[in-house]
Amino acid sequence: MKQRLGQWMKASVLALAGVSAGSAVAQSANEIFVPVLVYRTGAYAPNGTPWANGFVDYLKLVNERDGGVNKVKLAFEECETGYATDRGVECYERLKSKKPVGVNPLSTGITFALTEKVAADKIPLFTTGYGRSESVDGSVFAWNFPLMGTYWTAADILVQHVSKKGSLKGKKIALVYHDSPYGKEPIPVLEEHAKKHGFELLKLPVTHPGVEQKSQWLQIRQARPDYVFLWGWGVMNSTAVKEAIAVSYPRLQMYAVWWAAAEPDVVSSENSAKGYNGLALGHSAENDRPVHKDIAKFVYDKGNGTGKKEEIGQVLYNRGMISAAMVVEAIRTAQKKHGNRVVTGEEVRWGAENLNIDAARVKAMGMEGMIQPIKTSCADHEGARSARIHTWDGKNWSYTSEWYSSDQKMLAPMVKAAAAKYAADKKITPRDCSKEK
Amino acid sequence: MLYRENGQFKSTYREDQQLFPILQDRVFMLGLLVFAFGVVPFIASDYVFKAVLIPWLILALAAVGLNILVGYCGQISLGTAAFMAVGAYAAYNLFIRIPGLNFVAILFIAGFIAALVGMLFGIPSLRIKGLYLAVATLAAQFFMDWVFARVKWFTNYNPSGSVAPPAIDMLGWTVDAPVEKYLFVLAIVAVFSLAARNLTRSAIGRAWMATRDMDVAAEVIGIRPVHAKLTAFGVSSFFAGVAGALWGFVHLGAWEPLAFNINLSFNLLFMIIIGGMGSILGSFLGSAFIVLMPILLNQVLPALGGLFGIHVDTALVSHVELMVFGALIVFFLIAEPHGLARLWAIGKEKLRLWPFPH
């Protein structure tokens, strides 16, 4: 026993030595560090992996093609969270020592857990297309950036879209949602809309990880709602699509949030999923834009690709790529003010708050038609709030609606109220946005 | 040679019954405490505090609680995470509904609420035993998950169902720096472990152990099973509740019911099985194993790959992490079925003979 213990001790000492050696190599002083919290394993891996590939590929592209952001190289490191909040917090703490300039947790639960920590550590929290909806109000949530659209925006746009097809009065809408902060986010807006339009909202929570949905879909079969809104993630999405097919709920009447409308969700059901609709957060599965060609040329052709070459341009790949682009643009904006050097988290926060990505800049980024112009400010950390619907035709996603923008008359007061409540709970004094520069 | 009690004569009952009868143990414990309180705060980094020491200590406290129930009283429970959740949500509600209440008081009240709930769910233990009881306590787990996800009052009508209490503030001391959090948790855990250790040596502790070893015999010699079992559930849930409140307030900062799901219950049970049933030390060792090993593996593997010039990608790391972790559990259970605490005890016995083994 003693001998074995001795060996064990030796192994762990060796291992510890390895850790310190490994982390020393990872970063040098003249690089900007971007942590990448990902999940490539577990129930959420089908969706987490393409996002992570897109994110990392874009960072690699910026380093390869442009030699970094204004010639300042980007360093990055992945950390597996498995979509679990405690592991996500551990990853954040682990990578924090490398002075990151922005965190993308890719989980609303982790976003909630980090919201306070990032403010204390002065690291901006980028939640492109997710996160907590009230964090649009930058006067209270100085460090959160739910860029390009929150779940409240998404819920509002979905209701706008279905109400265009005919009055919602007396109709039934079922919300099948992941029973987590992520899935619960849209509920307040949908409830508000239910009151306004006079429809009935059925709330059907699905517990983690979401492979068991028989009873929810039985309820749908009994209640026959006019529309089903799907707020799922990971294996829950493909399961929901299969269950819908099993109870023969028409896919045409299903509308998913932008996280539940990508290839991994429908590919396994292929043709049977035909007609399944989802929100497109500005982009769909474009794969022919200059940025994609550059990624193929500068990253994949040099053998540096993170995923498979043919998966470039999938919906979630694009989402990851755009999320990385947002961080890069925030760094670029910060450098405009502070000079082309290694910027700090605090400076990047300023950059993210003063983003101004106009049509020309979008074109220069090689993402024409994939992102709407974004302009953030102290009062508005969302920057852009429009989306359209795309539909699965059995092989591809194609746009099937015009652009919608969320109704600020309704959402702005809700954001204000929720942010004020948070500020009161946490005893935060909101910043005065008129004085921010 | 060093670890030998020769010449330490005990002349009073008091000396014979003290917590650590051997001088070397006392010196070691004292040294450990001095090290933990006086040295660690100066040498550890923020990461070590936040990601390693704090979660380890808090889960060790929960494991101590579970060990009282499973290891000392022999009642298997799969509901520890539920009682932790009760503690966390009770603390949260006390915190926001009674402003100005001292956090230590909150911890105690939250612990008592968890103890009450634990005793309620412990009632079936009077009739059913063993695995059947484990299934009954599973009900607590699912019920609490449901309550905190559905009853909006507990989460203060937060639309996302996630609660985020502000930083702990006690008599003008804001516990927000990692070092402060560590010291606060350490103090609580130290006091509670001492209490647990003493409890298990007292009359009630002996009643628990008698019930564990053979409940009919225990009843015959005059131990009331109702009393013994329910107090075990109560005390165990008290510990779990306090640990839950600390887990939410100090470690996570914001949490949803998923943070206290059945996985945590299982992990706690594994902790005491690997660490050693019926041993306070075992709870700490087991918790260290379960909390630290995945983190260690997760960081060591890429570095190891780096040494040989192999790029280990993130997915592979987590797969290997799971496999190695599982293999280690099997290895330790085969090497020492009575847990890491038993290994420690064997080590001490060997040390007594060293350097002249028979």
Side-chain angles (χ1 to χ4, degrees):
Chain A
M1 199 67 247
K2 214 170 174 184
Q3 219 176 355
R4 247 183 274 171
L5 273 181
Q7 281 171 355
W8 169 237
M9 292 281 277
K10 250 183 254 166
S12 41
V13 168
L14 248 173
L16 277 172
V19 168
S20 42
S23 47
V25 180
Q27 196 196 8
S28 66
N30 45 11
E31 286 177 337
I32 298 176
F33 181 68
V34 181
V36 195
L37 270 58
V38 296
Y39 27 101
R40 293 179 181 277
T41 58
Y44 304 93
N47 303 45
T49 307
W51 186 94
N53 289 345
F55 195 97
V56 172
D57 278 348
Y58 190 80
L59 298 179
K60 284 179 180 166
L61 171 72
V62 170
N63 274 347
E64 275 295 317
R65 184 187 60 189
D66 315 330
V69 191
N70 290 322
K71 302 287 174 212
V72 184
K73 285 248 185 203
L74 297 172
F76 55 87
E77 189 177 323
E78 284 190 14
C79 185
E80 170 82 21
T81 69
Y83 202 60
T85 305
D86 51 349
R87 267 325 261 281
V89 172
E90 193 269 320
C91 278
Y92 168 79
E93 296 294 347
R94 188 195 305 176
L95 297 176
K96 198 176 82 183
S97 61
K98 304 192 172 179
K99 304 210 181 336
V101 296
V103 189
N104 288 264
L106 193 56
S107 149
T108 302
I110 301 176
T111 305
F112 272 87
L114 292 185
T115 296
E116 246 183 286
K117 296 183 198 284
V118 291
D121 300 328
K122 305 208 179 308
I123 302 166
L125 184 66
F126 290 87
T127 56
T128 308
Y130 58 99
R132 51 195 309 166
S133 304
E134 67 267 35
S135 64
V136 168
D137 185 348
S139 67
V140 174
F141 295 90
W143 298 87
N144 292 44
F145 292 92
L147 295 165
M148 298 172 71
T150 63
Y151 294 131
W152 288 4
T153 297
D156 183 70
I157 290 174
L158 280 181
V159 174
Q160 281 186 42
H161 180 72
V162 294
S163 66
K164 253 174 104 178
K165 294 171 184 278
S167 164
L168 291 176
K169 196 155 187 61
K171 294 214 164 143
K172 263 188 232 166
I173 295 181
L175 173 69
V176 179
Y177 64 97
H178 190 261
D179 201 357
S180 67
Y182 155 56
K184 288 178 189 166
E185 273 288 315
I187 293 175
V189 168
L190 290 175
E191 277 174 344
E192 199 69 25
H193 270 300
K195 263 186 255 160
K196 193 171 127 195
H197 291 280
F199 62 80
E200 188 192 336
L201 180 67
L202 293 174
K203 286 177 282 187
L204 303 172
V206 175
T207 44
H208 154 89
V211 281
E212 185 46 61
Q213 302 178 23
K214 286 261 183 280
S215 71
Q216 285 85 351
W217 287 92
L218 189 68
Q219 269 172 281
I220 286 177
R221 198 173 163 185
Q222 286 162 349
R224 283 275 145 200
D226 298 272
Y227 300 104
V228 168
F229 289 174
L230 181 66
W231 233 266
W233 188 226
V235 288
M236 174 184 162
N237 292 340
S238 47
T239 312
V241 173
K242 283 185 192 133
E243 290 292 340
I245 294 166
V247 301
S248 58
Y249 186 83
R251 265 71 73 202
L252 286 166
Q253 285 160 252
M254 286 177 75
Y255 289 89
V257 69
W258 43 63
W259 295 106
E263 289 83 357
D265 312 327
V266 285
V267 160
S268 57
S269 333
E270 282 208 334
N271 274 324
S272 339
K274 209 166 162 177
Y276 176 75
N277 307 291
L279 274 173
L281 179 70
H283 66 87
S284 174
E286 291 89 352
N287 57 11
D288 50 356
R289 298 298 192 271
V291 66
H292 298 113
K293 286 176 188 147
D294 282 355
I295 286 180
K297 187 172 144 202
F298 288 97
V299 182
Y300 281 79
D301 289 352
K302 290 188 179 169
N304 272 332
T306 321
K308 288 186 197 137
K309 197 174 175 182
E310 54 275 15
E311 285 170 6
I312 300 178
Q314 288 192 342
V315 175
L316 289 169
Y317 182 94
N318 283 343
R319 183 92 27 90
M321 193 179 79
I322 290 169
S323 302
M326 289 302 122
V327 179
V328 169
E329 289 308 306
I331 294 172
R332 204 185 295 280
T333 313
Q335 283 178 337
K336 234 180 248 168
K337 186 178 173 188
H338 298 280
N340 298 341
R341 56 173 171 85
V342 177
V343 281
T344 64
E346 230 170 333
E347 288 159 356
V348 172
R349 192 205 72 81
W350 183 88
E353 194 166 276
N354 293 281
L355 275 183
N356 188 3
I357 306 175
D358 54 11
R361 181 67 205 145
V362 172
K363 196 167 177 198
M365 288 158 74
M367 297 185 183
E368 215 178 354
M370 289 177 68
I371 41 181
Q372 293 294 99
I374 296 170
K375 193 167 168 24
T376 52
S377 66
C378 163
D380 174 18
H381 276 193
E382 197 174 6
R385 38 177 66 82
S386 26
R388 28 187 180 169
I389 305 284
H390 65 175
T391 304
W392 178 251
D393 66 6
K395 290 261 174 305
N396 294 300
W397 291 102
S398 51
Y399 294 116
T400 48
S401 85
E402 289 308 302
W403 285 96
Y404 294 96
S405 284
S406 61
D407 174 12
Q408 281 310 293
K409 256 192 236 130
M410 178 176 157
L411 294 187
M414 289 180 71
V415 166
K416 263 257 142 351
K421 181 167 176 265
Y422 179 84
D425 280 355
K426 296 277 181 181
K427 304 183 182 74
I428 298 172
T429 322
R431 295 181 296 159
D432 184 356
C433 278
S434 58
K435 286 188 191 141
E436 288 290 322
K437 182 67 193 86
Chain B
M1 199 146 68
L2 291 170
Y3 189 75
R4 193 166 290 181
E5 65 216 71
N6 292 8
Q8 298 179 26
F9 299 110
K10 287 148 194 129
S11 49
T12 58
Y13 283 117
R14 209 182 141 76
E15 273 178 21
D16 196 38
Q17 287 177 348
Q18 62 186 326
L19 205 51
F20 298 103
I22 304 172
L23 178 71
Q24 284 89 336
D25 278 348
R26 282 199 296 276
V27 172
F28 177 74
M29 257 338 271
L30 207 67
L32 195 68
L33 282 176
V34 168
F35 180 73
F37 277 102
V39 181
V40 172
F42 296 103
I43 56 170
S45 66
D46 277 10
Y47 169 71
V48 173
F49 283 130
K50 281 189 170 177
V52 178
L53 292 175
I54 292 174
W56 170 52
L57 286 172
I58 298 175
L59 288 183
L61 182 62
V64 167
L66 184 64
N67 222 334
I68 287 176
L69 187 61
V70 182
Y72 286 98
C73 195
Q75 312 296 311
I76 302 177
S77 161
L78 280 175
T80 325
F83 304 133
M84 284 177 76
V86 172
Y89 282 95
Y92 172 73
N93 280 293
L94 288 165
F95 200 90
I96 55 165
R97 285 172 214 284
I98 310 176
L101 198 58
N102 191 299
F103 189 70
V104 174
I106 288 182
L107 272 184
F108 273 88
I109 302 173
F112 274 114
I113 294 173
L116 283 181
V117 176
M119 277 153 89
L120 188 70
F121 280 96
I123 291 174
S125 71
L126 306 177
R127 275 299 176 85
I128 48 181
K129 286 177 202 161
L131 284 176
Y132 299 96
L133 179 64
V135 175
T137 53
L138 208 55
Q141 183 65 48
F142 289 117
F143 180 70
M144 289 305 157
D145 264 359
W146 179 84
V147 164
F148 296 125
R150 296 284 163 268
V151 183
K152 296 255 195 281
W153 186 83
F154 288 113
T155 51
N156 198 18
Y157 300 96
N158 198 315
S160 64
S162 171
V163 298
I168 302 162
D169 188 36
M170 279 181 305
L171 308 169
W173 178 38
T174 312
V175 187
D176 51 1
V179 182
E180 294 173 328
K181 285 181 172 177
Y182 164 74
L183 286 174
F184 178 66
V185 170
L186 182 66
I188 300 258
V189 172
V191 170
F192 275 79
S193 314
L194 194 70
R197 177 99 171 121
N198 273 316
L199 261 181
T200 54
R201 285 152 25 98
S202 68
I204 183 94
R206 287 192 296 277
W208 291 339
M209 284 184 267
T211 312
R212 170 193 66 191
D213 292 342
M214 194 177 181
D215 54 353
V216 177
E219 208 173 340
V220 168
I221 59 168
I223 290 164
R224 281 176 296 153
V226 180
H227 183 251
K229 285 177 179 174
L230 285 189
T231 47
F233 263 99
V235 172
S236 157
S237 307
F238 182 85
F239 277 69
V242 171
L246 288 174
W247 187 250
F249 274 73
V250 181
H251 179 54
L252 293 178
W255 71 91
E256 68 254 17
L258 203 62
F260 297 101
N261 72 352
I262 186 143
N263 273 347
L264 187 59
S265 285
F266 278 125
N267 271 340
L268 286 165
L269 200 60
F270 297 156
M271 278 176 203
I272 62 165
I273 291 174
I274 292 170
M277 295 257 219
S279 155
I280 302 293
L281 173 74
S283 315
F284 282 85
L285 295 178
S287 157
F289 186 87
I290 299 267
V291 175
L292 307 187
M293 199 53 75
I295 296 174
L296 186 74
L297 288 172
N298 195 287
Q299 304 196 17
V300 163
L301 291 170
L304 265 182
L307 288 182
F308 301 106
I310 310 163
H311 173 71
V312 187
D313 76 77
T314 326
L316 185 66
V317 170
S318 19
H319 291 309
V320 174
E321 176 198 313
L322 281 178
M323 287 189 277
V324 174
F325 186 56
L328 278 176
I329 291 180
V330 174
F331 166 76
F332 272 110
L333 287 183
I334 291 174
E336 186 46 72
H338 293 106
L340 300 172
R342 181 86 193 117
L343 277 181
W344 175 256
I346 292 174
K348 279 212 297 197
E349 269 165 38
K350 291 243 164 96
L351 216 65
R352 273 177 152 170
L353 301 176
W354 184 85
F356 306 114
H358 308 299

